[in-house]
Amino acid sequence: MEQKLPNAQTVLILGIISVVGTCCCSGLVGIICGLIGLSKYKNDKLIYDANPTQYSDFGNLNTGRILCIIGLVLGCIQVVYFIFMLATVGWAGYMEQINQLSRMGGRG
């Protein structure tokens, strides 16, 4: 009888949160959830490799891994961009750009 891997659904959820959290909140959400998801993936992959015929949801585990990697990469890009912006224009310049973007969005 096939059973489910213990963390496959968790890895999938963490991958989704990683991608969505990076796009909606900050890169730190993507980095944290991506790293936790990849750690849980590693544990379940070892369990799966020991007896592959016993488990049925390896596809969910792989999909979660891919999403965690995407969220991790996007989160790192966002954090690097934020650091670059602070280094080049400073906090005041960054806030001015944010204010300009919000004013442009209010006109539409």
Side-chain angles (χ1 to χ4, degrees):
M1 185 171 124
E2 290 185 345
Q3 56 186 354
K4 293 183 181 251
L5 289 163
N7 293 319
Q9 188 173 6
T10 305
V11 172
L12 185 61
I13 291 170
L14 283 169
I16 293 169
I17 291 172
S18 178
V19 172
V20 173
T22 297
C23 294
C24 296
C25 298
S26 72
L28 294 177
V29 173
I31 291 171
I32 292 169
C33 290
L35 289 175
I36 293 170
L38 289 175
S39 172
K40 291 192 173 291
Y41 167 82
K42 181 181 173 185
N43 295 339
D44 270 15
K45 178 76 165 111
L46 292 173
I47 293 170
Y48 178 79
D49 286 342
N51 194 356
T53 59
Q54 189 175 358
Y55 299 102
S56 63
D57 58 347
F58 187 70
N60 283 347
L61 188 67
N62 264 341
T63 303
R65 177 181 144 245
I66 292 168
L67 288 172
C68 285
I69 291 170
I70 291 170
L72 187 62
V73 169
L74 289 175
C76 289
I77 290 171
Q78 191 172 14
V79 167
V80 167
Y81 175 74
F82 182 71
I83 292 170
F84 172 76
M85 289 299 295
L86 288 180
T88 56
V89 297
W91 183 257
Y94 176 73
M95 292 309 293
E96 180 59 32
Q97 287 180 348
I98 296 297
N99 289 334
Q100 286 177 355
L101 287 173
S102 66
R103 283 193 299 265
M104 284 173 53
R107 292 182 186 166

